[in-house]
């Protein structure tokens, strides 16, 4: 019986690895302790979550341009010279205005025209743009016992109005046909109401500028920018019931 | 007392909440208006013969004026046979190709007269904003197009369009150089001179063209009209060049050279009388006068500081002020009819000649052309929105037009040749 026990694989045997395992454990503990001590001693400045982002402008390396030299354009070289479009083949006109036929619903544009149409690409970009705009904003809910005018809610609101301004500004295209002298004084106000999902409920020109083209452009800018991102909870009621006003000025 | 206070307390927050938040946005992105110009509809065979001329003039006007981005006809989704009245137009198809405005025209003839109708539509609103009809002799199909395009231009800008204005230039000929007079697009060109060397033309406000001609061996100033012999206006000293007429047409400014000296003179535009020296620098050159739109000042070139620079003085020669301090070779000033800018040619540090403008008040210089061979001799359109100039970008010196800020550079679709010193007038 004792011989059997002596030959058993379960019998404890002295191991030569024990000192090495112990040394490894002690070594790791020392490395962690030193790392903690060093990171405490060499710690960097505390990170403030209130810190505003730092904007940096990259400036090209080189010597500044001699002020006595004539300026050079920053943008790309002048586009290739345009040549007038070839004149299309004559088209038989209807005899009188009233005789003009309304194109039938079945009428289809020719395939080549459709293929070459820039609207396909434009639609794709528009769709991507809108998809991006419709992306859900991060919702920061307030505390159950928080103040209605609590700081975090206000920041969320400011962020949303900033977002609104930026998407409308991107679509704020106005025709060059408006004379320069008039541009300096043009100002219009648009009121808009936004639903919970960011959809444009209503838009109206609350204070016209007096220039129809400009007025159409500012209303168009709001329409093109919609749908917007869904408003944060604290703004939902306000944007739905009271709306928001946007004052547009033509001049920069 | 308690009740009113309580009511007030209830009302104030609701009033505050009802206030709309206000966002302010300034600085619109101004850009040419996307416009679709449908193929003109033709009502009879006589009108059909004029279609190409009419259509090419119409397309050029809209494309080159800088206000519009004329959409490529290949992209149009509406059938070419679509009607010209709002009820017959599928505005969705025009909106789909990006058009904000749509121009529809139709021409017809009664044998001697060519009639043209133009309708301008607001695509988004599906609304006709303008309808205009014009009639011209059959041979004037291009003029008909210019008249109709002008109506559209005026509708938007409230300013008279440039499409019925005239330009002049000097062009190399087998016997020297001739002066030509043409429509703004370079078409309908007629010779004002016939033989000899005739250069630096300037449109005379009352009609005709003034130019320097060697027809009597000496380069003196003449005034001519197509089909008639030129008349000597100022024949004095060795050379009379660079005629510029005051905006009211009463005065002409010229540069008169004697030996190595050239001075600016003014005279009565009608007969060259009352010739008066307005610069007096003795050993320097003073050339290329250009009047301010109010007729009170003259811009000119002088090398009194060692190299050619742009200067400004009163029409009587007082208060001379150097305007350009950048670059070492600045010439051919042209004062904008709007008054704020002077366009000029300058040689840059790469020895390329390019066009620039300088703001008369601030002295700020803006570059209009760059990296497109040599570009010289600017002339403003009468409304100040466009600049006509010469360029060697496509080989020989040719005429081009662009907006006053250097955008939308377009080549005039006229015969190739060596064109120089264009001028532009009403």
């Amino acid at each position: 019986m004792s011989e059997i026990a002596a030959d058993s694989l379960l019998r404890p045997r002295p191991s030569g690895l024990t000192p090495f395992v112990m040394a490894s454990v002690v070594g790791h503990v020392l490395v962690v302790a030193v790392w903690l001590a060093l990171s405490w001693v060499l710690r960097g400045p505390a990170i403030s979550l209130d810190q505003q982002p730092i904007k940096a402008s990259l400036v090209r390396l080189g010597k500044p341009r001699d002020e006595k030299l004539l300026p050079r354009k920053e943008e790309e070289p002048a586009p290739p010279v345009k040549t007038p479009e070839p004149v299309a083949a004559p088209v038989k006109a209807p005899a009188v205005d009233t005789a003009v036929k309304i194109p039938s619903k079945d009428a289809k544009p020719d395939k080549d025209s459709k293929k070459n149409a820039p609207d396909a690409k434009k639609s794709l970009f528009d769709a991507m743009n809108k998809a991006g705009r419709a992306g859900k904003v991060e919702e920061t809910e307030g505390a159950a016992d928080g103040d209605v005018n609590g700081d975090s809610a206000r920041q969320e609101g400011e962020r949303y109005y900033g977002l609104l301004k930026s998407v409308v500004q991107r679509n704020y295209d106005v025709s060059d046909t408006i004379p320069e002298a008039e541009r300096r004084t043009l100002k219009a106000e648009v009121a808009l109401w936004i639903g919970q999902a960011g959809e444009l409920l209503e838009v109206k020109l609350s204070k016209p500028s007096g220039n129809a083209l400009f007025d159409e452009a500012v209303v168009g800018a709001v329409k093109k920018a919609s749908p917007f991102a869904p408003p944060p909870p604290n703004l939902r009621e306000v944007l739905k019931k009271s709306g928001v006003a946007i004052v547009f000025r033509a001049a920069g | 007392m308690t009740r009113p206070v309580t009511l007030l307390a209830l009302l104030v927050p609701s009033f505050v909440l009802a206030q709309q938040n206000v966002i302010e946005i300034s600085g619109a992105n101004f850009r040419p208006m996307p416009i679709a110009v449908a193929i003109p509809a033709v009502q009879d065979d006589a009108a059909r013969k004029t279609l190409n001329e009419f259509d090419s003039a119409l397309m050029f006007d809209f494309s080159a004026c800088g206000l519009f981005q004329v959409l490529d006809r290949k992209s149009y989704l509406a059938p070419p046979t679509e009607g010209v009245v709002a009820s017959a137009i599928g505005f969705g198809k025009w909106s789909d190709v990006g058009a904000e405005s749509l121009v529809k025209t139709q021409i017809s003839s009664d044998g001697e007269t060519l009639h043209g109708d133009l309708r301008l539509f607001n695509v988004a609103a599906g609304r006709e904003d303008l309808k205009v009809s014009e009639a011209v002799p059959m041979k004037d199909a291009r003029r008909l197009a210019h008249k109709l395009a002008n109506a559209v231009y005026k509708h938007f800008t409230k300013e008279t369009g440039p499409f019925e204005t005239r330009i002049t230039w000097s062009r190399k000929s087998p016997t020297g150089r001739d002066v030509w007079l043409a429509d703004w697009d370079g078409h309908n060109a007629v010779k004002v001179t016939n033989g000899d060397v005739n250069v630096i033309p300037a449109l005379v406000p009352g009609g005709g063209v003034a130019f320097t001609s060697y027809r009597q061996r000496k380069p003196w100033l003449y005034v001519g009209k197509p089909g008639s012999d030129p008349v000597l206006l100022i024949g004095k000293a060795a050379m009379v060049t660079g005629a510029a007429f005051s905006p009211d047409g009463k005065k002409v400014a010229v540069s008169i050279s004697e030996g190595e000296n050239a001075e600016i003179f003014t005279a009565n535009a009608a007969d060259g009388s009352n010739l008066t020296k307005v610069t007096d620098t003795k050993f320097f050159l003073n050339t290329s006068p250009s009047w301010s739109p109010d007729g009170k000042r003259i811009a000119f070139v002088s090398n009194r500081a060692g190299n050619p620079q742009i200067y400004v003085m009163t029409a009587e020669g007082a208060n001379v002020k150097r305007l350009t301090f950048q670059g070492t070779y600045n010439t051919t000033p042209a004062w904008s009819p709007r008054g704020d800018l002077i366009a000029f040619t300058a040689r840059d540090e790469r020895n390329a000649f390019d066009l620039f403008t300088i703001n008369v008040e601030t002295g700020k210089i803006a570059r209009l052309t760059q990296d497109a061979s040599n570009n010289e001799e600017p002339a403003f359109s009468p409304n100040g929105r466009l600049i006509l100039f010469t360029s060697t970008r496509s080989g020989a010196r040719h005429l081009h037009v662009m907006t006053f800020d250097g955008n939308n550079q377009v080549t005039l679709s006229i015969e190739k040749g060596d064109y120089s010193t264009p001028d532009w007038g009403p």
Side-chain angles (χ1 to χ4, degrees):
Chain A
M1 182 67 188
S2 62
E3 279 181 13
I4 291 168
D7 292 340
S8 168
L9 290 172
L10 299 172
R11 180 179 64 85
R13 289 180 175 83
S15 171
L17 289 176
T18 306
F20 295 105
V21 171
M22 291 304 291
S24 172
V25 169
V26 170
H28 276 85
V29 168
L30 280 175
V31 167
V32 170
V34 168
W35 175 73
L36 284 173
L38 280 176
S39 60
W40 174 256
V41 172
L42 303 174
R43 70 184 185 277
I47 296 168
S48 164
L49 295 176
D50 298 328
Q51 175 73 47
Q52 292 298 309
I54 297 166
K55 291 178 185 172
S57 301
L58 295 177
V59 179
R60 193 187 300 135
L61 182 67
K63 284 193 288 187
R65 190 170 174 80
D66 186 344
E67 286 182 359
K68 287 184 178 172
L69 294 178
L70 291 155
R72 280 189 68 77
K73 283 187 171 183
E74 282 296 319
E75 57 267 21
E76 292 294 306
V81 172
K82 291 180 186 176
T83 46
E85 197 176 281
V87 177
V91 178
K92 178 70 182 170
V96 287
D97 289 350
T98 49
V100 177
K101 288 181 182 174
I102 299 172
S104 72
K105 283 183 180 173
D106 302 331
K108 287 180 180 172
D110 85 61
K111 284 184 177 176
D112 286 343
S113 302
K114 205 163 186 180
K115 204 189 293 174
N116 294 332
D119 62 323
K121 195 183 270 182
K122 188 176 175 292
S123 317
L124 181 63
F125 279 118
D126 283 352
M128 288 170 72
N129 200 16
K130 287 198 173 182
R133 285 200 299 263
K136 223 180 167 186
V137 289
E138 189 187 334
E139 290 183 5
T140 313
E141 300 287 350
D145 57 347
D147 192 321
V148 180
N149 298 314
D151 199 41
S152 67
R154 188 164 56 80
Q155 280 178 357
E156 185 71 6
E158 280 171 5
R159 196 144 63 95
Y160 186 76
Y161 286 126
L163 187 70
L164 208 59
K165 179 177 176 173
S166 126
V167 292
V168 175
Q169 178 110 50
R170 273 209 297 275
N171 290 281
Y172 184 23
D173 297 329
V174 179
S175 170
D176 243 345
T177 54
I178 295 175
E180 283 86 2
E182 209 175 325
R183 293 177 193 180
R184 286 195 282 270
T185 54
L186 279 180
K187 181 183 167 188
E189 189 175 306
V190 170
L192 59 147
W193 288 261
I194 299 170
Q196 282 199 2
E199 76 276 22
L200 184 63
L201 298 174
E202 193 187 340
V203 56
K204 70 174 185 186
L205 189 68
S206 43
K207 287 180 190 166
S209 68
N211 181 308
L213 213 56
F214 184 71
D215 292 346
E216 281 171 21
V218 296
V219 174
V222 172
K223 285 181 179 171
K224 276 191 280 178
S226 67
F228 309 103
N234 61 308
L235 287 181
R236 281 178 191 160
E237 277 302 297
V238 174
L239 287 172
K240 191 177 171 185
K241 290 186 176 164
S242 307
V244 58
I246 304 182
V247 176
F248 289 92
R249 282 186 178 81
Chain B
M1 184 69 194
T2 318
R3 186 176 270 182
V5 170
T6 314
L7 264 175
L8 194 66
L10 284 171
L11 279 173
V12 167
S14 64
F15 171 74
V16 170
L17 284 175
Q19 289 287 304
Q20 276 183 334
N21 277 303
V22 178
I23 298 172
E24 300 224 358
I25 298 180
S26 47
N29 316 313
F30 283 98
R31 46 113 180 92
M33 172 185 275
I35 193 169
V37 183
I39 297 171
V42 185
Q43 293 196 325
D44 53 73
D45 287 341
R48 187 180 312 285
K49 288 178 187 164
T50 68
L51 175 65
N52 279 356
E53 285 289 292
F54 174 81
D55 194 34
S56 68
L58 196 69
M59 288 298 279
F60 184 85
D61 288 355
F62 285 123
S63 307
C65 72
L67 292 184
F68 307 106
Q69 177 206 346
V70 179
L71 301 172
D72 189 343
R73 280 181 173 166
K74 293 192 194 99
S75 72
Y76 294 179
L77 300 175
T81 50
E82 187 185 60
V84 296
V85 292
S87 60
I89 294 171
F91 287 103
K93 286 182 175 153
W94 295 106
S95 175
D96 285 347
V97 298
E100 287 181 13
S101 282
L102 167 66
V103 167
K104 291 259 183 178
T105 52
Q106 60 179 9
I107 51 174
S108 61
S109 158
D110 60 10
E112 291 182 350
T113 308
L114 185 64
H115 298 269
D117 293 331
L118 178 145
R119 286 179 163 88
L120 175 72
F121 299 96
N122 180 315
V123 173
R127 181 184 71 218
E128 182 181 297
D129 278 351
L130 176 72
K131 185 191 173 198
V132 56
S133 299
E134 292 283 356
V136 296
M138 286 299 291
K139 64 180 177 57
D140 291 335
R142 296 190 73 89
R143 191 154 67 89
L144 178 65
H146 294 323
K147 281 178 177 293
L148 296 174
N150 261 342
V152 175
Y153 193 99
K154 189 160 192 173
H155 169 78
F156 284 117
T157 64
K158 315 289 184 286
E159 296 171 1
T160 304
F163 310 134
E164 285 189 275
T165 55
R166 306 281 279 163
I167 61 172
T168 181
W169 64 76
S170 170
R171 186 184 167 196
K172 195 174 180 182
S173 68
T175 57
R177 297 192 75 85
D178 273 316
V179 168
W180 294 73
L181 185 61
D183 293 347
W184 92 286
D185 55 5
H187 286 261
N188 288 331
V190 286
K191 268 188 192 177
V192 177
T193 61
N194 202 358
D196 291 310
V197 175
N198 307 283
V199 294
I200 323 176
L203 285 161
V204 181
V209 185
F211 51 90
T212 298
S213 175
Y214 284 78
R215 56 193 300 117
Q216 290 180 31
R217 302 283 172 89
K218 284 197 169 183
W220 286 344
L221 189 71
Y222 294 80
V223 172
K225 287 182 180 176
S228 63
D229 276 341
V231 177
L232 181 67
L233 186 66
I234 300 175
K236 179 182 161 41
M239 185 184 279
V240 183
T241 59
F245 289 86
S246 61
D248 63 5
K250 290 179 180 170
K251 291 273 185 183
V252 61
V254 289
S255 175
I256 296 182
S257 311
E258 197 69 82
E260 293 182 355
N261 174 232
E263 302 290 356
I264 306 287
F265 286 72
T266 57
N268 290 337
D271 55 7
S273 63
N274 196 24
L275 196 63
T276 309
K277 190 190 273 189
V278 289
T279 59
D280 193 2
T281 53
K282 291 192 174 59
F283 304 109
F284 298 106
L285 299 174
N286 301 281
T287 61
S288 309
S290 176
W291 294 80
S292 64
D294 61 5
K296 290 180 179 168
R297 289 187 288 174
I298 294 174
F300 64 103
V301 177
S302 178
N303 66 350
R304 64 187 70 186
N307 48 42
Q309 297 292 345
I310 311 294
Y311 290 77
V312 171
M313 62 181 172
T314 67
E316 294 75 34
N319 299 332
V320 177
K321 180 187 163 195
R322 180 173 164 180
L323 214 56
T324 53
F325 291 89
Q326 287 169 271
T328 56
Y329 197 93
N330 300 324
T331 60
T332 67
W335 207 315
S336 164
R338 289 170 183 255
D340 54 345
L341 302 174
I342 290 175
F344 62 98
T345 306
R347 189 181 63 200
D348 69 10
E349 76 277 13
R350 301 176 187 197
N351 286 328
F353 287 92
D354 270 307
L355 295 173
F356 297 80
T357 53
I358 184 163
N359 186 302
V360 181
E361 294 306 316
T362 65
K364 189 181 176 190
I365 289 181
R367 189 169 194 136
L368 308 183
T369 59
Q370 182 170 288
D371 300 332
S373 198
N374 289 322
N375 305 280
E376 299 175 68
E377 301 163 341
F380 274 101
S381 62
N383 69 0
R385 272 188 180 264
L386 297 166
I387 293 175
L388 178 69
F389 63 103
T390 61
S391 176
T392 54
R393 63 186 66 186
S394 43
R397 260 191 303 179
H398 199 79
L399 295 174
H400 302 259
V401 70
M402 64 181 167
T403 58
F404 70 93
D405 51 6
N407 288 319
N408 202 46
Q409 299 183 12
V410 176
T411 310
L412 296 198
S413 58
I414 51 176
E415 198 182 1
K416 285 192 186 305
D418 182 19
Y419 294 82
S420 67
T421 55
D423 188 34
W424 200 336

